[in-house]
Amino acid sequence: MKIELKGFQDAAVDRLIDQLGRAKGEVSGGGDHQAVILAAPTGSGKTVITAALIEEILTGSDRFTAEPDAVFLWLSDQPVLNEQSKKRIASASTKLSNSDLVIVDADFDRETFVGGKVYFINTQKLGKDKLLTSGRGDKRTYTIWETISNTAKTKADRFYLIIDEAHRGTKVSRTDESTRQTVLQKFVKGSEGEIPAIDLILGVSATPKRFQQLIDGQSNRTPRKCEVNPLDVRASGLLKDRIMVFHPTEDFPTDTTMLRAAVLQWRAMGAQWHEYAQTQGLPTIQPALIIQVQDGSSDGVSRTNLDEVIATIEKETGPIDTAEIAHCFEHDAPLSAHGVLIRKIDPSRIQEETNIKFVLFKMALTTGWDCPRAEVMMSFRTAQDDTLIAQLIGRMVRTPLARRIEGSEILNSVSLYLPHYDKEGLTRVVNHLKQGDPMELPPTDVEDGAKMVTFKRDASMAAAFDALSGLPTYRVERVRKVSNTRRLMALSRLLSTMHEVDMTAWDGSKKLVIETLDAELARLKRDDPNFDAKVKGSGQITLNAVVVEQGTWKEIQGQTITVPLDEKNIDDLFSRAGQRLGEGLHLDYWQTHYDQDEADEMPNRSRLELFLMLQDEKTWKTLESVCGARCEALLKQHKAAIKNLTTAEQEEYNKVNEIAKDPEALSFLPPAEMMLAVDTKDPEFRSYDEHLYVDATGHFVAKLNTWEHTVIEAEIARPDVVGWLRNVSRKPWALSLPYEMGGEVLPMYPDFLVVRTDGAGHTVDILEPHSPALADSYAKAKGLAQFAAKHAMDFGRIEVIRLVGKEIKRLDLMDVTNRKRVLAVDSNAALDLIFGISVE
């Protein structure tokens, strides 16, 4: 793939391959028709996952024998969705060229579909009155039904029907919906005189229930499911972290007041995107302001005063150029409002036409619309449209760079302005967004925009921020792990060609891998007297069924396979070795060991040697150990240089550690700003001194409980304290560490990071006031103790704290004795005993 799949996407491809393999086994064995469902929420990249699956089917892997002549028929509802899916696959896939992605139009006429290609068709073209399905004539030899039937007969279990239900829920006419149901039932159950029931169906949907309803009544086609967890999608950074909802705070605010606020927010986001792009050396993102207006009436195209809308925008932005504004109303003609010509645009083109800054629409802006740069929305509609609002926002929460923006909370947010929503209507929208619906978006954090306060770095605390930057932190999300070999090559590419930190890293790492394999080859020849005979064998070879999943060696007992050693199979085995190593290392190995003098007699020696080596568990583990050590050495050697890179570049090195099989520490990156909800009417929100982040008045405001307040007040009073940070739980930037509870590894966010001066400069303390009444108290203390054991050199104090009356009791885990005691506890009561005997 041209793009790097997110961990959950990779895992989904794994599960789909497994489920398809089982389904194919049923079909090839004469069993019933089979169906597999990819159930993934909006924004998860279902098309990208499916494209990666198609690539693996065509090219093969450790898990799946290549089917280069497989045919894929991609069925959706509407032509615009066919075009959109084709475009996405072309932009993501390295294996499928534009000629391999075929839109089936009215003039399509073939006996069978061609192997190795993906054909796109929609149900609207398959009605009884359509050219594709009509009988033969002067210009047609085969109907589309005959093409499908012939392909199903000749390809058997290598013909895959992909039913794309990802965009269901959009408005379609009764006629189109009836046609859709009829057509889909033909594919699922067969239609006498037209097509047989298709053996292998892959359903791509945001909800498995909808697909299940499609195949109900055909009991022999019970679907296998591959479900993507919505929380994994959020954790991946594909979706924005927060939706900020702005609504009237006065009794009678005007529409124009809130529209003006929306324009100001849009401008602020544009300025931040420009600043971020400049500091990171990236192309800038142009956010779009989406304005939803009321329906039309006999008096005009909309009951919303469009002249006033344009006038309000121009008061904040200056004159609007015709190229900067468009509408998606039901009629195709351009409009004129306040002297500005507003052209018509298809929703699917909003994202790519980056010069468009303002988009006007009414209701139908769901079909074919994916616009990650649409980051601010203003709605003039009334509170009765809360479900539609949620559907629309679901199309706006995608992140423009398909990743979380490190250090900026506003760029990880969507802003929604609702001037006509009363308290009850607003509650319905917020609840709808928080609860989530897979057809719209995963459960999302929703905040009252009026309460959000931005705290920026205190300019006088530069030395304190330097002390915080680079501290060890962990991410406990379910991230897809990879082998150390792949990690090493990814790291080496970053250091050399990407960031020019170490121009020898790439070649040096390749040399290390090849030399390690050479040493293992020598060992195998010493240990196995039959090794050379296996390489020279011209008949057949017996292979262990071995899979390397997420870098971990797995051997499937009792499932050996025997293959003849002809040229085609040797090529396949060599390709499998390449997939296991990654980064084209198999080709480097072959080029290093290719012997021209030996080529005529044994042209495949080095290729078979490599494959057989990678079938040996000890060889794999040795290679993993060597590459892991090399990763650690390179990161340590270039730590200072990496810290001087942009934050986006530093985040790429964090990802190299994040995907390690065994947890590796990442580098803590303090954000440029933090946004917190502050209720000025709540007396529990208090102002604090010496915080590293301050609001426009130079203060930090937070709601701390009694323990937290007492502890931080005591710290501020210390003469050596420079500043402190409220380490906000679950914030993507927060310092985190793992702990285990009930057999599950969870993230812990210590409450405070305190920066102090010492003889050598600045040091950072971790302080964790934690109530013994909480069930996880002892488990978090153990996690903190394990963290302290690994990273004692990076901190001054690491303390678990209790408040007994007015007395602060501290247990410093930098002390080895305290640490050993805490690591031995198995209950809160046992932890209480340690506090009772600890030396303060």
Side-chain angles (χ1 to χ4, degrees), residues 115-226:
K117 295 183 183 294
V118 182
Y119 291 87
F120 297 90
I121 196 168
N122 62 83
T123 54
Q124 292 181 24
K125 293 181 180 178
L126 296 175
K128 291 182 179 180
D129 59 339
K130 303 302 180 183
L131 291 174
L132 275 171
T133 60
S134 60
R136 302 186 190 92
D138 293 338
K139 295 183 179 181
R140 181 177 299 286
T141 307
Y142 302 96
T143 67
I144 191 64
W145 298 131
E146 290 172 325
T147 304
I148 293 170
S149 296
N150 293 335
T151 305
K153 291 175 184 176
T154 58
K155 294 294 184 182
D157 65 344
R158 288 166 291 127
F159 180 39
Y160 300 85
L161 174 66
I162 300 170
I163 298 179
D164 182 5
E165 288 256 306
H167 295 83
R168 294 304 302 151
T170 59
K171 283 194 171 183
V172 294
S173 69
R174 287 187 178 181
T175 300
D176 285 344
E177 179 61 19
S178 176
T179 298
R180 169 185 170 273
Q181 290 288 346
T182 301
V183 168
L184 292 181
Q185 289 297 322
K186 289 182 179 181
F187 282 100
V188 172
K189 299 182 179 180
S191 176
E192 187 174 353
E194 291 180 320
I195 58 172
I198 303 303
D199 282 334
L200 286 173
I201 295 179
L202 172 65
V204 181
S205 179
T207 168
K209 182 179 179 181
R210 190 179 297 274
F211 190 81
Q212 182 68 59
Q213 290 171 345
L214 170 65
I215 62 176
D216 274 349
Q218 193 178 29
S219 58
N220 59 346
R221 199 192 290 263
T222 302
R224 293 174 165 87
K225 296 178 184 177
C226 168

Side-chain angles (χ1 to χ4, degrees), residues 79 141 192 277 323 363 390 416-417 425 460 527 678 720 759 777:
T141 307
E192 187 174 353
M363 295 282 282
L416 172 61
Y417 290 80
S460 67
D527 295 348
V678 174
D720 58 344
S777 184

